[in-house]
Amino acid sequence: MSREDYLAWTNQAFDAAKIFAKPEALRGIRILELCTLILGPAVPDYLGEFGAEVIKVELPGAGDTMRSVTPYGTFWKNASLGQLPQNHNKYHLALDVHSSVGAEIFRRLAQRCDVVVENLRAGTMDRWGIGYQQLREVNPKIIYIALNGFGQWGGYAEGRASYDAVAQTVSGLLATTGFPGRLPLKTGVFVGDYFGALFGALGVLSALHYRDRTGEGQFIEISQGEGLMRLLDWSWIYYHLEKYNRPRTGNRDLAICPSDVFLCKDGPVALAAGTDEQFRSLCQAMGQPELAENPRYAEVLTRLKEENAVSLLEIIAEWAKTKTVAEINKLGEEYGFASSPILNAKDQYESPHFRARASIFEYEDPILGKMTEVGSPAKLSATPGRLKWANKPVGLDNEFVLRKFLGLRTYQIQALAEKKVIGKWVEMPPGRKPPSDWDGKAGVIM
Amino acid sequence: MEIPKIQTTLPYEDFTIEADRTWVDWIREADDPRKNHLKPEALDDLLVLDVSEGSIGGLFASSILAEFGADVIRIEPPGGDSARKFTPFGYLYKGTGLGYLMEGRNKYHITLNLNKPEAQDAFRRLAAQADVIIESFKPGVMDEWGLSYRHLKEINPRLIYGSVYTYGHFGPEAGCGKPNADICDQARSGVMAVTGEPEGPDGPKPWTVPTKEGNWMGWYAGGGWLAFGILTALHHREVTGQGQMVDVAPPEAELRFCDYHIQYYHATGTLRGLVGAYDSSVFPYTIVKTKNGYSFIAGFSDPNWEGLTNIMKEPELRAQFPTIFDRLNKENQPAIHQGIEKWSQNYTGEEILDLVQDYVVNRRGPGIVATAWMTDIKDTFEDEVWWDRGIFEKGTDPFYGDVAFQAPPWKMTLTPPRLKWMCRPVGGDNDFIFLRYLGIGKEKLKEWEKKNIV
């Protein structure tokens, strides 16, 4: 029963090579998406990676706004890189729901779906005749989720635009990220969007469980800023109890000591020892076992006191200066304290560990070719998540979706196209169309 | 090359102010968090054992399930979870640190010394009745006790077993032996490689380093994704009757939030680096100094850039950087940022919000501009709007008394999550839980206490 024996078992149970030999957990769940940017589209993406069938509805022509958002304006094979992470495994229908015919098609699709996801301003869908109240008329079991900046009602819900960074700014996350006396730091990623979407997916899954039990659907709302507030650990209660207005403290953790980033000879290393046992190991590794006996540092709660913490972090900083990142990382393994280099995208891309865990996920997209993206972080032994295809050009699956789910005939589909109720991509702006060497067939289902 | 003009019209974002009152009034009534206690719970058929230790990630995962109504039994060693001491400056409230206090919600708290065979057996009997187990040990620890998934599935094939650990339970680094830590979760996730101030002309400074997110985002991301995996597995079990193991490594959980890092590297072989106040895919979309603090402000697409420069009355700045490619150019971003700050420093954050809202709501010109002034912990906590929304709650806990804390962020018309109690002291529910699930009474428990089993 050694650790090696256990790891041999887990490596076999989670073998990435067998992903496509296993069933999908959410097979049979169908999701209708009317979303742009990240907060909305990521919800069906997360669920679609586990087998839910997702119909993404975009406006004919320009489609999702995220098709314009890509790092340094880089359009790769005519695709927006910003559009890729939250649009996998979806069917792409370009449908103008502003028209009455378009709204009716949307309602009919909703009738065939289990979940509807939208991220518009409160009340917009209702105005278009496709809001929760209208959709539950045609499908009483529907689970409907709306995500946006400030929710469906309340002091900020009306008339105020929101983005991820607005959520970071109003939630307290911005005020507590960065170094003292310096610029408050926007997290370098759209965390309010992505985490908000995870909250959304969790809401949908819990509602789905209730529906499995009772057959009843419901409405769910999520605000990206409010989601971030949930995650600010002890900030609120400490303010409530002691009026402590949590400042920015760089990489130092005020509640775990030591936990910080230290500069080695060749770069920064993250290091933590949150328990007395781990701290003793660290002191051994530093060659200063007496530190663990020092009454100022020996016990975790004493060590956390401001004066003690500051002096201890200085001692560790002095020691770290004499080491390389690799040396400290190795000492962490040998002695049992937490240590890590700061990984960037290249380190992760090339990491055998991330690849073995299918977190760096390779697949071949029919239109874009060889893809390397980020797989679902939730690893399920019996029903693993998977990426099958990437984001598609606007309207690529119009014919397939309308024929398969609504049984429309060729002449009807043509009429809808002529009336511009459905449509395909525009040439400009970029980010909408297939690559220039596309043969007109690759990736088309029907 | 001819530079294409981007006409982002934000097709579905209709920023008209006249929100549909019918909808707003209806939904406010329908998902009002004050009425949560009148409604049923989504997961109240589940029994969850959370045996995580020293991990806010494990605690957050079980918090989510507990908020949705699951019976969650927290199992700690007799001395208490080391996470009870993750607390600012060593501050304890009625014996427990604040990090743990926040994530003890709605759970029963019992003790078991899993090094003892009697405790292992008790755990096994609980596991036979449970739907979900959550643990955060290094891989192999539970296995040595005979309590890993490969053992427990034999006595409970419906069991969903969740593990959360920095390196995960499989893959070449899973056996590295290092303990889990939020700072390392963040360091491995990629988020720190882009968060932080880039080096200026004066060279490196103590703050021009990869920087973590202020909260325990690594742990929270890991816990959130573990709950996701568990609920996904639950649906599969509903259909097939089969349980399974769910494994989450928090760095990968946070990597899933790291935009298009990997895609950008795959496509171009290049990295983004520390962005500071700048952004690589939307700009301006930045934090600027104001008269009284900091504000976020954005005007990225051409119409929105026009809107922003109209509000600033700076048509020259607009003309200087006419396309999104000019504005996304790393070389230009400092100049654009300074241009905005020159204007923003004359106003308070509240005044900037008023100027922007006046422009957008009254349609004084093209474009949508988003802004927000930075609120700190005090400002946010004291803002009545969030209390009205039920984001913060002050509750009466039988042991901890009248304490304010963050409530679950979901609003739901039928099965909303809710708070019932805040936390329990170490072993606070031993009597009830051992009797309820194992038929063990007070006398036996006292005996076990003496033997350091509970």
Side-chain angles (χ1 to χ4, degrees):
Chain A
M1 294 271 191
S2 64
R3 181 172 74 182
E4 286 64 35
D5 188 32
Y6 174 69
L7 287 173
W9 177 81
T10 53
N11 277 310
Q12 172 268 324
F14 287 92
D15 184 358
K18 302 219 176 74
I19 288 175
F20 281 91
K22 293 176 180 179
E24 295 182 293
L26 301 180
R27 183 188 150 82
I29 301 298
R30 195 174 296 135
I31 304 178
L32 185 59
E33 165 194 330
L34 185 68
C35 297
T36 64
L37 299 169
I38 297 169
L39 177 65
V43 176
D45 181 71
Y46 295 162
L47 299 166
E49 282 163 37
F50 288 89
E53 195 172 29
V54 181
I55 303 169
K56 180 183 176 78
V57 177
E58 295 176 87
L59 205 62
D64 193 328
T65 310
M66 203 64 193
R67 291 177 183 273
S68 292
V69 179
T70 187
Y72 306 114
T74 311
F75 291 95
W76 178 65
K77 303 186 182 184
N78 290 337
S80 150
L81 295 166
Q83 172 82 351
L84 295 176
Q86 59 286 341
N87 292 287
H88 308 95
N89 303 357
K90 296 180 182 177
Y91 300 130
H92 289 249
L93 169 67
L95 174 74
D96 186 355
V97 296
H98 298 98
S99 70
S100 58
V101 180
E104 177 57 18
I105 289 176
F106 191 86
R107 277 190 296 270
R108 288 191 197 177
L109 285 170
Q111 212 169 354
R112 299 287 312 277
C113 286
D114 303 279
V115 181
V116 169
V117 188
E118 57 105 330
N119 67 333
L120 309 181
R121 301 262 297 221
T124 309
M125 295 281 278
D126 256 54
R127 238 177 10 248
W128 294 345
I130 51 173
Y132 175 59
Q133 288 171 294
Q134 291 111 344
L135 295 184
R136 69 174 182 161
E137 286 293 314
V138 296
N139 183 354
K141 288 177 71 176
I142 200 81
I143 293 168
Y144 181 116
I145 177 163
L147 309 96
N148 63 21
F150 294 102
Q152 300 294 305
W153 52 269
Y156 300 137
E158 290 169 54
R160 209 170 151 187
S162 178
Y163 294 116
D164 166 76
V166 171
Q168 294 193 34
T169 307
V170 302
S171 63
L173 180 61
L174 181 70
T176 51
T177 299
F179 279 81
R182 300 294 306 173
L183 180 79
L185 286 175
K186 188 160 62 64
T187 291
V189 302
F190 301 120
V191 68
D193 279 341
Y194 287 110
F195 217 127
L198 179 61
F199 276 126
L202 286 162
V204 168
L205 288 167
S206 74
L208 206 55
H209 181 68
Y210 191 72
R211 202 188 69 162
D212 284 342
R213 293 164 67 194
T214 64
E216 289 185 85
Q218 60 182 311
F219 176 90
I220 308 167
E221 69 166 281
I222 277 291
S223 134
Q224 58 196 164
E226 292 170 358
L228 289 179
M229 289 175 206
R230 174 64 180 86
L231 310 173
L232 289 190
D233 40 59
W234 48 265
S235 306
W236 314 115
I237 187 171
Y238 201 27
Y239 179 74
H240 171 71
L241 292 172
E242 298 294 333
K243 296 288 169 285
Y244 183 79
N245 196 2
R246 183 174 181 176
R248 295 186 283 286
T249 56
N251 284 313
R252 177 186 160 196
D253 192 325
L254 293 181
I256 297 173
C257 185
S259 171
D260 208 335
V261 170
F262 299 94
L263 287 177
C264 302
K265 280 195 260 185
D266 57 345
V269 72
L271 182 153
T275 66
D276 291 337
E277 188 194 349
Q278 291 167 22
F279 181 63
R280 277 192 296 275
S281 313
L282 172 65
C283 297
Q284 294 282 341
M286 288 168 66
Q288 305 181 39
E290 69 282 0
L291 276 181
E293 308 302 325
N294 184 329
R296 293 179 68 190
Y297 310 131
E299 207 276 324
V300 58
L301 293 174
T302 325
R303 207 154 60 228
L304 279 162
K305 294 197 185 309
E306 176 70 10
E307 218 182 80
N308 298 342
V310 169
S311 60
L312 177 61
L313 293 174
E314 272 168 25
I315 294 170
I316 300 172
E318 282 306 311
W319 168 73
K321 271 187 210 164
T322 66
K323 301 277 171 198
T324 66
V325 174
E327 281 166 357
I328 290 187
N329 194 38
K330 188 127 196 306
L331 287 171
E333 287 183 24
E334 277 170 34
Y335 287 85
F337 61 90
S339 59
S340 173
I342 317 289
L343 304 189
N344 62 26
K346 177 175 187 283
D347 301 325
Q348 296 169 326
Y349 190 90
E350 293 169 353
S351 157
H353 183 68
F354 280 72
R355 281 176 181 261
R357 292 179 57 79
S359 286
I360 297 298
F361 197 106
E362 265 189 28
Y363 66 103
E364 195 180 336
D365 180 75
I367 299 175
L368 296 173
K370 282 214 161 69
M371 301 294 290
T372 305
E373 296 200 78
V374 180
S376 181
K379 308 300 177 194
L380 274 62
S381 60
T383 58
R386 60 204 72 173
L387 303 182
K388 301 165 195 166
W389 61 83
N391 180 69
K392 299 183 184 186
V394 175
L396 193 74
D397 299 316
N398 287 353
E399 289 79 1
F400 174 68
V401 168
L402 295 175
R403 195 179 287 272
K404 174 170 160 58
F405 298 111
L406 300 185
L408 295 194
R409 308 299 174 93
T410 308
Y411 74 91
Q412 291 171 307
I413 293 170
Q414 276 169 357
L416 288 171
E418 277 161 24
K419 286 186 193 141
K420 300 200 182 332
V421 174
I422 60 169
K424 305 240 183 244
W425 57 87
V426 283
E427 285 291 310
M428 280 291 154
R432 277 79 191 165
K433 64 184 175 184
S436 29
D437 60 355
W438 186 57
D439 63 2
K441 290 181 198 139
V444 178
I445 303 171
M446 193 166 275
Chain B
M1 164 194 167
E2 197 194 351
I3 294 178
K5 196 169 161 63
I6 301 280
Q7 290 283 7
T8 305
T9 49
L10 297 171
Y12 286 123
E13 289 185 44
D14 177 2
F15 287 95
T16 45
I17 184 64
E18 59 289 1
D20 186 336
R21 284 307 321 175
T22 330
W23 165 254
V24 172
D25 294 342
W26 185 86
I27 188 59
R28 179 170 188 146
E29 178 77 18
D31 73 4
D32 184 353
R34 286 161 201 81
K35 294 186 192 132
N36 283 353
H37 64 287
L38 299 172
K39 298 173 179 176
E41 297 180 284
L43 305 182
D44 65 357
D45 57 335
L46 298 184
L47 178 64
V48 179
L49 311 181
D50 173 1
V51 67
S52 68
E53 220 183 305
S55 161
I56 300 294
L59 292 173
F60 181 52
S62 69
S63 283
I64 292 169
L65 304 178
E67 287 172 347
F68 281 116
D71 273 339
V72 176
I73 302 175
R74 269 288 301 138
I75 300 171
E76 302 176 73
D81 183 355
S82 58
R84 285 191 187 251
K85 294 181 177 172
F86 295 167
T87 191
F89 311 116
Y91 180 94
L92 295 184
Y93 182 69
K94 299 198 180 190
T96 292
L98 300 182
Y100 190 93
L101 214 48
M102 278 303 94
E103 303 306 338
R105 49 186 66 191
N106 298 359
K107 302 172 193 175
Y108 304 105
H109 294 252
I110 69 164
T111 53
L112 271 179
N113 180 357
L114 290 172
N115 290 305
K116 305 264 183 185
E118 293 94 332
Q120 291 165 7
D121 189 53
F123 185 88
R124 223 169 273 126
R125 282 186 278 150
L126 282 171
Q129 307 174 52
D131 299 280
V132 177
I133 285 177
I134 291 172
E135 63 112 328
S136 69
F137 294 102
K138 295 175 198 173
V141 173
M142 288 286 275
D143 195 64
E144 222 160 278
W145 292 328
L147 304 177
S148 66
Y149 179 62
R150 62 172 170 163
H151 298 293
L152 296 181
K153 74 181 163 69
E154 302 302 327
I155 54 172
N156 181 357
R158 287 173 58 82
L159 186 67
I160 295 165
Y161 181 107
S163 52
V164 55
Y165 166 62
T166 300
Y167 299 85
H169 274 233
F170 68 100
E173 292 179 53
C176 72
K178 285 187 276 193
N180 82 64
D182 174 72
I183 186 83
C184 294
D185 293 344
Q186 297 208 31
R188 287 176 60 82
S189 75
V191 75
M192 288 176 69
V194 293
T195 305
E197 279 190 59
E199 227 172 271
D202 312 337
K205 297 281 178 208
W207 53 83
T208 56
V209 291
T211 309
K212 74 179 192 79
E213 293 167 294
N215 66 334
W216 286 321
M217 196 65 93
W219 269 333
Y220 275 98
W225 273 107
L226 180 59
F228 173 95
I230 287 168
L231 291 178
T232 303
L234 189 64
H235 181 75
H236 184 69
R237 191 186 77 167
E238 207 66 38
V239 177
T240 63
Q242 284 302 308
Q244 60 182 308
M245 179 166 166
V246 181
D247 182 39
V248 170
E252 298 162 15
E254 223 182 336
L255 167 62
R256 194 67 184 79
F257 298 157
C258 281
D259 302 351
Y260 35 72
H261 291 197
I262 296 298
Q263 288 86 349
Y264 185 52
Y265 184 76
H266 177 72
T268 68
T270 49
L271 298 166
R272 293 205 293 157
L274 301 180
V275 291
Y278 312 123
D279 197 279
S280 38
S281 59
V282 275
F283 199 80
Y285 180 94
T286 186
I287 307 300
V288 290
K289 277 197 186 112
T290 63
K291 214 178 183 176
N292 64 340
Y294 293 93
S295 274
F296 165 76
I297 197 152
F300 167 57
S301 68
D302 290 342
N304 296 356
W305 176 233
E306 194 176 341
L308 175 59
T309 44
N310 283 344
I311 294 167
M312 290 166 57
K313 301 196 174 65
E314 289 282 356
E316 278 162 33
L317 191 67
R318 168 161 77 239
Q320 217 181 327
F321 306 102
T323 72
I324 64 161
F325 297 97
D326 299 313
R327 300 190 286 278
L328 286 178
N329 187 330
K330 277 185 200 177
E331 311 290 314
N332 295 341
Q333 292 189 350
I336 298 171
H337 187 255
Q338 284 154 19
I340 301 172
E341 276 202 335
K342 216 176 86 191
W343 165 77
S344 64
Q345 294 198 26
N346 303 318
Y347 301 95
T348 66
E350 295 89 328
E351 286 165 351
I352 293 176
L353 179 63
D354 287 344
L355 282 171
V356 165
Q357 287 304 92
D358 174 62
Y359 180 89
V360 173
V361 170
N362 298 314
R363 298 174 179 274
R364 302 203 186 277
I368 301 298
V369 176
T371 186
W373 50 283
M374 184 186 84
T375 49
D376 58 17
I377 295 304
K378 175 180 187 294
D379 300 329
T380 310
F381 188 74
E382 292 179 349
D383 187 338
E384 283 172 15
V385 171
W386 307 127
W387 286 86
D388 181 42
R389 291 274 298 160
I391 294 311
F392 301 121
E393 256 187 62
K394 205 161 154 182
T396 309
D397 184 279
F399 185 81
Y400 296 95
D402 219 11
V403 192
F405 40 93
Q406 60 269 47
W410 303 267
K411 290 186 185 25
M412 297 168 81
T413 54
L414 185 60
T415 58
R418 69 204 64 175
L419 292 167
K420 300 169 195 172
W421 62 88
M422 188 171 177
C423 189
R424 303 283 289 150
V426 179
D429 298 304
N430 276 357
D431 287 355
F432 172 58
I433 294 297
F434 279 98
L435 187 65
R436 160 81 176 76
Y437 289 99
L438 301 175
I440 292 179
K442 274 191 175 167
E443 285 302 311
K444 178 92 176 171
L445 267 185
K446 266 191 198 141
E447 201 182 298
W448 275 18
E449 217 167 295
K450 276 187 205 132
K451 291 187 185 161
N452 193 29
I453 296 166
V454 295

